[in-house]
PDB file of all heavy atoms in Angstrom:
ATOM      1  N   SER A 251     -20.588   8.278  14.369  1.00 82.00           N
ATOM      2  CA  SER A 251     -21.669   7.934  13.444  1.00 82.00           C
ATOM      3  C   SER A 251     -22.014   6.450  13.455  1.00 82.00           C
ATOM      4  O   SER A 251     -23.079   6.061  12.982  1.00 82.00           O
ATOM      5  CB  SER A 251     -21.275   8.339  12.018  1.00 82.00           C
ATOM      6  OG  SER A 251     -20.190   7.544  11.561  1.00 82.00           O
ATOM      7  N   GLY A 252     -21.108   5.631  13.963  1.00 83.00           N
ATOM      8  CA  GLY A 252     -21.356   4.190  13.954  1.00 83.00           C
ATOM      9  C   GLY A 252     -21.021   3.522  12.645  1.00 83.00           C
ATOM     10  O   GLY A 252     -21.369   2.363  12.421  1.00 83.00           O
ATOM     11  N   LEU A 253     -20.306   4.227  11.760  1.00 83.00           N
ATOM     12  CA  LEU A 253     -19.923   3.632  10.487  1.00 83.00           C
ATOM     13  C   LEU A 253     -18.875   2.544  10.663  1.00 83.00           C
ATOM     14  O   LEU A 253     -18.771   1.637   9.839  1.00 83.00           O
ATOM     15  CB  LEU A 253     -19.367   4.715   9.550  1.00 83.00           C
ATOM     16  CG  LEU A 253     -20.360   5.700   8.938  1.00 83.00           C
ATOM     17  CD1 LEU A 253     -19.603   6.770   8.175  1.00 83.00           C
ATOM     18  CD2 LEU A 253     -21.324   4.984   8.005  1.00 83.00           C
ATOM     19  N   LEU A 254     -18.096   2.632  11.734  1.00 88.00           N
ATOM     20  CA  LEU A 254     -16.965   1.734  11.919  1.00 88.00           C
ATOM     21  C   LEU A 254     -17.349   0.528  12.762  1.00 88.00           C
ATOM     22  O   LEU A 254     -17.833   0.677  13.883  1.00 88.00           O
ATOM     23  CB  LEU A 254     -15.800   2.481  12.586  1.00 88.00           C
ATOM     24  CG  LEU A 254     -15.308   3.722  11.846  1.00 88.00           C
ATOM     25  CD1 LEU A 254     -14.194   4.392  12.636  1.00 88.00           C
ATOM     26  CD2 LEU A 254     -14.825   3.361  10.444  1.00 88.00           C
ATOM     27  N   ARG A 255     -17.115  -0.638  12.233  1.00 87.00           N
ATOM     28  CA  ARG A 255     -17.373  -1.868  12.988  1.00 87.00           C
ATOM     29  C   ARG A 255     -16.215  -2.134  13.943  1.00 87.00           C
ATOM     30  O   ARG A 255     -15.043  -1.991  13.569  1.00 87.00           O
ATOM     31  CB  ARG A 255     -17.517  -3.042  12.024  1.00 87.00           C
ATOM     32  CG  ARG A 255     -18.764  -2.974  11.153  1.00 87.00           C
ATOM     33  CD  ARG A 255     -18.722  -4.050  10.085  1.00 87.00           C
ATOM     34  NE  ARG A 255     -19.954  -4.052   9.319  1.00 87.00           N
ATOM     35  CZ  ARG A 255     -20.855  -5.031   9.356  1.00 87.00           C
ATOM     36  NH1 ARG A 255     -20.656  -6.073  10.129  1.00 87.00           N
ATOM     37  NH2 ARG A 255     -21.941  -4.966   8.619  1.00 87.00           N
ATOM     38  N   PRO A 256     -16.505  -2.543  15.170  1.00 85.00           N
ATOM     39  CA  PRO A 256     -15.440  -2.754  16.153  1.00 85.00           C
ATOM     40  C   PRO A 256     -14.376  -3.759  15.744  1.00 85.00           C
ATOM     41  O   PRO A 256     -13.221  -3.594  16.075  1.00 85.00           O
ATOM     42  CB  PRO A 256     -16.205  -3.225  17.395  1.00 85.00           C
ATOM     43  CG  PRO A 256     -17.548  -2.610  17.251  1.00 85.00           C
ATOM     44  CD  PRO A 256     -17.839  -2.629  15.779  1.00 85.00           C
ATOM     45  N   LYS A 257     -14.736  -4.786  15.049  1.00 86.00           N
ATOM     46  CA  LYS A 257     -13.756  -5.819  14.712  1.00 86.00           C
ATOM     47  C   LYS A 257     -13.034  -5.505  13.404  1.00 86.00           C
ATOM     48  O   LYS A 257     -12.839  -6.360  12.552  1.00 86.00           O
ATOM     49  CB  LYS A 257     -14.454  -7.179  14.620  1.00 86.00           C
ATOM     50  CG  LYS A 257     -13.505  -8.366  14.668  1.00 86.00           C
ATOM     51  CD  LYS A 257     -14.279  -9.675  14.598  1.00 86.00           C
ATOM     52  CE  LYS A 257     -13.333 -10.865  14.622  1.00 86.00           C
ATOM     53  NZ  LYS A 257     -14.046 -12.155  14.548  1.00 86.00           N
ATOM     54  N   THR A 258     -12.612  -4.235  13.262  1.00 91.00           N
ATOM     55  CA  THR A 258     -11.964  -3.823  12.023  1.00 91.00           C
ATOM     56  C   THR A 258     -10.793  -2.903  12.317  1.00 91.00           C
ATOM     57  O   THR A 258     -10.718  -2.259  13.369  1.00 91.00           O
ATOM     58  CB  THR A 258     -12.951  -3.068  11.113  1.00 91.00           C
ATOM     59  OG1 THR A 258     -13.355  -1.850  11.762  1.00 91.00           O
ATOM     60  CG2 THR A 258     -14.179  -3.902  10.796  1.00 91.00           C
ATOM     61  N   TRP A 259      -9.893  -2.799  11.353  1.00 93.00           N
ATOM     62  CA  TRP A 259      -8.731  -1.928  11.506  1.00 93.00           C
ATOM     63  C   TRP A 259      -9.080  -0.449  11.461  1.00 93.00           C
ATOM     64  O   TRP A 259      -8.538   0.330  12.246  1.00 93.00           O
ATOM     65  CB  TRP A 259      -7.680  -2.283  10.458  1.00 93.00           C
ATOM     66  CG  TRP A 259      -6.902  -3.488  10.841  1.00 93.00           C
ATOM     67  CD1 TRP A 259      -6.967  -4.730  10.289  1.00 93.00           C
ATOM     68  CD2 TRP A 259      -5.962  -3.574  11.911  1.00 93.00           C
ATOM     69  NE1 TRP A 259      -6.126  -5.597  10.935  1.00 93.00           N
ATOM     70  CE2 TRP A 259      -5.486  -4.906  11.939  1.00 93.00           C
ATOM     71  CE3 TRP A 259      -5.469  -2.678  12.846  1.00 93.00           C
ATOM     72  CZ2 TRP A 259      -4.543  -5.347  12.859  1.00 93.00           C
ATOM     73  CZ3 TRP A 259      -4.533  -3.109  13.768  1.00 93.00           C
ATOM     74  CH2 TRP A 259      -4.073  -4.433  13.769  1.00 93.00           C
ATOM     75  N   PRO A 260      -9.966   0.011  10.585  1.00 92.00           N
ATOM     76  CA  PRO A 260     -10.323   1.433  10.644  1.00 92.00           C
ATOM     77  C   PRO A 260     -10.841   1.860  12.016  1.00 92.00           C
ATOM     78  O   PRO A 260     -10.507   2.944  12.508  1.00 92.00           O
ATOM     79  CB  PRO A 260     -11.403   1.566   9.559  1.00 92.00           C
ATOM     80  CG  PRO A 260     -11.039   0.517   8.564  1.00 92.00           C
ATOM     81  CD  PRO A 260     -10.555  -0.643   9.389  1.00 92.00           C
ATOM     82  N   PHE A 261     -11.634   0.998  12.663  1.00 91.00           N
ATOM     83  CA  PHE A 261     -12.139   1.322  13.992  1.00 91.00           C
ATOM     84  C   PHE A 261     -10.993   1.443  14.997  1.00 91.00           C
ATOM     85  O   PHE A 261     -10.921   2.395  15.786  1.00 91.00           O
ATOM     86  CB  PHE A 261     -13.130   0.258  14.454  1.00 91.00           C
ATOM     87  CG  PHE A 261     -13.573   0.427  15.886  1.00 91.00           C
ATOM     88  CD1 PHE A 261     -14.573   1.329  16.209  1.00 91.00           C
ATOM     89  CD2 PHE A 261     -12.974  -0.301  16.905  1.00 91.00           C
ATOM     90  CE1 PHE A 261     -14.970   1.497  17.531  1.00 91.00           C
ATOM     91  CE2 PHE A 261     -13.359  -0.139  18.222  1.00 91.00           C
ATOM     92  CZ  PHE A 261     -14.361   0.767  18.542  1.00 91.00           C
ATOM     93  N   LEU A 262     -10.078   0.480  15.001  1.00 90.00           N
ATOM     94  CA  LEU A 262      -8.986   0.500  15.970  1.00 90.00           C
ATOM     95  C   LEU A 262      -8.039   1.677  15.741  1.00 90.00           C
ATOM     96  O   LEU A 262      -7.568   2.294  16.696  1.00 90.00           O
ATOM     97  CB  LEU A 262      -8.209  -0.819  15.907  1.00 90.00           C
ATOM     98  CG  LEU A 262      -8.970  -2.061  16.376  1.00 90.00           C
ATOM     99  CD1 LEU A 262      -8.107  -3.300  16.228  1.00 90.00           C
ATOM    100  CD2 LEU A 262      -9.434  -1.894  17.823  1.00 90.00           C
ATOM    101  N   PHE A 263      -7.780   1.993  14.481  1.00 90.00           N
ATOM    102  CA  PHE A 263      -6.936   3.152  14.204  1.00 90.00           C
ATOM    103  C   PHE A 263      -7.627   4.441  14.641  1.00 90.00           C
ATOM    104  O   PHE A 263      -6.997   5.343  15.218  1.00 90.00           O
ATOM    105  CB  PHE A 263      -6.598   3.223  12.717  1.00 90.00           C
ATOM    106  CG  PHE A 263      -5.560   2.236  12.278  1.00 90.00           C
ATOM    107  CD1 PHE A 263      -5.765   1.443  11.169  1.00 90.00           C
ATOM    108  CD2 PHE A 263      -4.376   2.092  12.978  1.00 90.00           C
ATOM    109  CE1 PHE A 263      -4.810   0.522  10.760  1.00 90.00           C
ATOM    110  CE2 PHE A 263      -3.414   1.172  12.584  1.00 90.00           C
ATOM    111  CZ  PHE A 263      -3.629   0.391  11.465  1.00 90.00           C
ATOM    112  N   ALA A 264      -8.911   4.538  14.360  1.00 89.00           N
ATOM    113  CA  ALA A 264      -9.657   5.733  14.752  1.00 89.00           C
ATOM    114  C   ALA A 264      -9.671   5.893  16.265  1.00 89.00           C
ATOM    115  O   ALA A 264      -9.483   6.999  16.793  1.00 89.00           O
ATOM    116  CB  ALA A 264     -11.088   5.659  14.204  1.00 89.00           C
ATOM    117  N   LEU A 265      -9.878   4.800  16.973  1.00 86.00           N
ATOM    118  CA  LEU A 265      -9.907   4.859  18.433  1.00 86.00           C
ATOM    119  C   LEU A 265      -8.542   5.247  18.995  1.00 86.00           C
ATOM    120  O   LEU A 265      -8.438   6.029  19.940  1.00 86.00           O
ATOM    121  CB  LEU A 265     -10.351   3.510  18.988  1.00 86.00           C
ATOM    122  CG  LEU A 265     -10.652   3.449  20.489  1.00 86.00           C
ATOM    123  CD1 LEU A 265     -11.745   4.446  20.854  1.00 86.00           C
ATOM    124  CD2 LEU A 265     -11.052   2.042  20.901  1.00 86.00           C
ATOM    125  N   HIS A 266      -7.498   4.718  18.406  1.00 85.00           N
ATOM    126  CA  HIS A 266      -6.143   5.071  18.836  1.00 85.00           C
ATOM    127  C   HIS A 266      -5.881   6.558  18.628  1.00 85.00           C
ATOM    128  O   HIS A 266      -5.355   7.242  19.514  1.00 85.00           O
ATOM    129  CB  HIS A 266      -5.125   4.246  18.056  1.00 85.00           C
ATOM    130  CG  HIS A 266      -3.701   4.566  18.407  1.00 85.00           C
ATOM    131  ND1 HIS A 266      -3.025   3.905  19.406  1.00 85.00           N
ATOM    132  CD2 HIS A 266      -2.835   5.485  17.904  1.00 85.00           C
ATOM    133  CE1 HIS A 266      -1.799   4.400  19.505  1.00 85.00           C
ATOM    134  NE2 HIS A 266      -1.662   5.354  18.596  1.00 85.00           N
ATOM    135  N   GLN A 267      -6.237   7.047  17.448  1.00 84.00           N
ATOM    136  CA  GLN A 267      -5.997   8.456  17.150  1.00 84.00           C
ATOM    137  C   GLN A 267      -6.810   9.369  18.071  1.00 84.00           C
ATOM    138  O   GLN A 267      -6.339  10.410  18.517  1.00 84.00           O
ATOM    139  CB  GLN A 267      -6.362   8.753  15.693  1.00 84.00           C
ATOM    140  CG  GLN A 267      -5.656   7.876  14.665  1.00 84.00           C
ATOM    141  CD  GLN A 267      -4.150   7.941  14.792  1.00 84.00           C
ATOM    142  OE1 GLN A 267      -3.490   6.949  15.059  1.00 84.00           O
ATOM    143  NE2 GLN A 267      -3.599   9.117  14.608  1.00 84.00           N
ATOM    144  N   LYS A 268      -8.038   8.952  18.369  1.00 81.00           N
ATOM    145  CA  LYS A 268      -8.905   9.778  19.199  1.00 81.00           C
ATOM    146  C   LYS A 268      -8.397   9.843  20.633  1.00 81.00           C
ATOM    147  O   LYS A 268      -8.384  10.911  21.257  1.00 81.00           O
ATOM    148  CB  LYS A 268     -10.332   9.220  19.170  1.00 81.00           C
ATOM    149  CG  LYS A 268     -11.344  10.087  19.912  1.00 81.00           C
ATOM    150  CD  LYS A 268     -11.416  11.494  19.321  1.00 81.00           C
ATOM    151  CE  LYS A 268     -12.397  12.372  20.079  1.00 81.00           C
ATOM    152  NZ  LYS A 268     -12.367  13.767  19.601  1.00 81.00           N
ATOM    153  N   THR A 269      -7.973   8.728  21.190  1.00 79.00           N
ATOM    154  CA  THR A 269      -7.476   8.741  22.565  1.00 79.00           C
ATOM    155  C   THR A 269      -6.194   9.559  22.670  1.00 79.00           C
ATOM    156  O   THR A 269      -5.951  10.224  23.673  1.00 79.00           O
ATOM    157  CB  THR A 269      -7.207   7.311  23.058  1.00 79.00           C
ATOM    158  OG1 THR A 269      -6.292   6.652  22.168  1.00 79.00           O
ATOM    159  CG2 THR A 269      -8.494   6.521  23.124  1.00 79.00           C
ATOM    160  N   GLU A 270      -5.380   9.541  21.624  1.00 72.00           N
ATOM    161  CA  GLU A 270      -4.156  10.338  21.624  1.00 72.00           C
ATOM    162  C   GLU A 270      -4.480  11.826  21.561  1.00 72.00           C
ATOM    163  O   GLU A 270      -3.877  12.645  22.252  1.00 72.00           O
ATOM    164  CB  GLU A 270      -3.277   9.943  20.443  1.00 72.00           C
ATOM    165  CG  GLU A 270      -1.939  10.657  20.417  1.00 72.00           C
ATOM    166  CD  GLU A 270      -1.087  10.197  19.259  1.00 72.00           C
ATOM    167  OE1 GLU A 270      -1.413  10.572  18.109  1.00 72.00           O
ATOM    168  OE2 GLU A 270      -0.102   9.471  19.480  1.00 72.00           O
ATOM    169  N   ALA A 271      -5.461  12.174  20.722  1.00 72.00           N
ATOM    170  CA  ALA A 271      -5.830  13.587  20.574  1.00 72.00           C
ATOM    171  C   ALA A 271      -6.508  14.140  21.823  1.00 72.00           C
ATOM    172  O   ALA A 271      -6.452  15.344  22.088  1.00 72.00           O
ATOM    173  CB  ALA A 271      -6.758  13.750  19.373  1.00 72.00           C
ATOM    174  N   ASP A 272      -7.132  13.278  22.618  1.00 69.00           N
ATOM    175  CA  ASP A 272      -7.835  13.732  23.816  1.00 69.00           C
ATOM    176  C   ASP A 272      -6.929  13.828  25.034  1.00 69.00           C
ATOM    177  O   ASP A 272      -7.372  13.644  26.159  1.00 69.00           O
ATOM    178  CB  ASP A 272      -8.999  12.768  24.130  1.00 69.00           C
ATOM    179  CG  ASP A 272     -10.145  12.946  23.159  1.00 69.00           C
ATOM    180  OD1 ASP A 272     -10.171  13.955  22.451  1.00 69.00           O
ATOM    181  OD2 ASP A 272     -11.008  12.047  23.104  1.00 69.00           O
ATOM    182  N   GLY A 273      -5.670  14.099  24.807  1.00 62.00           N
ATOM    183  CA  GLY A 273      -4.774  14.321  25.935  1.00 62.00           C
ATOM    184  C   GLY A 273      -3.584  13.402  25.979  1.00 62.00           C
ATOM    185  O   GLY A 273      -2.830  13.395  26.955  1.00 62.00           O
ATOM    186  N   GLY A 274      -3.383  12.619  24.945  1.00 55.00           N
ATOM    187  CA  GLY A 274      -2.223  11.758  24.890  1.00 55.00           C
ATOM    188  C   GLY A 274      -2.286  10.561  25.806  1.00 55.00           C
ATOM    189  O   GLY A 274      -1.251   9.982  26.173  1.00 55.00           O
ATOM    190  N   HIS A 275      -3.478  10.126  26.208  1.00 53.00           N
ATOM    191  CA  HIS A 275      -3.607   8.958  27.087  1.00 53.00           C
ATOM    192  C   HIS A 275      -3.551   7.691  26.241  1.00 53.00           C
ATOM    193  O   HIS A 275      -4.545   6.989  26.071  1.00 53.00           O
ATOM    194  CB  HIS A 275      -4.922   9.017  27.863  1.00 53.00           C
ATOM    195  CG  HIS A 275      -5.075  10.275  28.670  1.00 53.00           C
ATOM    196  ND1 HIS A 275      -4.196  10.622  29.673  1.00 53.00           N
ATOM    197  CD2 HIS A 275      -5.993  11.263  28.607  1.00 53.00           C
ATOM    198  CE1 HIS A 275      -4.573  11.785  30.219  1.00 53.00           C
ATOM    199  NE2 HIS A 275      -5.655  12.188  29.572  1.00 53.00           N
ATOM    200  N   GLU A 276      -2.376   7.414  25.722  1.00 47.00           N
ATOM    201  CA  GLU A 276      -2.242   6.297  24.792  1.00 47.00           C
ATOM    202  C   GLU A 276      -2.406   4.942  25.468  1.00 47.00           C
ATOM    203  O   GLU A 276      -2.563   3.929  24.792  1.00 47.00           O
ATOM    204  CB  GLU A 276      -0.895   6.380  24.090  1.00 47.00           C
ATOM    205  CG  GLU A 276      -0.795   7.586  23.166  1.00 47.00           C
ATOM    206  CD  GLU A 276       0.543   7.624  22.462  1.00 47.00           C
ATOM    207  OE1 GLU A 276       1.520   8.057  23.085  1.00 47.00           O
ATOM    208  OE2 GLU A 276       0.598   7.228  21.290  1.00 47.00           O
ATOM    209  N   GLU A 277      -2.326   4.918  26.798  1.00 51.00           N
ATOM    210  CA  GLU A 277      -2.526   3.642  27.471  1.00 51.00           C
ATOM    211  C   GLU A 277      -3.948   3.142  27.283  1.00 51.00           C
ATOM    212  O   GLU A 277      -4.227   1.962  27.479  1.00 51.00           O
ATOM    213  CB  GLU A 277      -2.206   3.766  28.968  1.00 51.00           C
ATOM    214  CG  GLU A 277      -3.172   4.653  29.766  1.00 51.00           C
ATOM    215  CD  GLU A 277      -2.836   6.126  29.677  1.00 51.00           C
ATOM    216  OE1 GLU A 277      -1.918   6.463  28.887  1.00 51.00           O
ATOM    217  OE2 GLU A 277      -3.460   6.928  30.382  1.00 51.00           O
TER     218      GLU A 277
END
Side-chain angles (χ1 to χ4, degrees):
S251 67
L253 287 174
L254 303 178
R255 292 171 176 248
K257 196 179 179 180
T258 64
W259 281 108
F261 173 82
L262 293 178
F263 284 131
L265 189 58
H266 179 90
Q267 305 304 118
K268 185 60 181 174
T269 56
E270 184 178 73
D272 286 345
H275 303 299
E276 293 181 280
E277 67 277 6

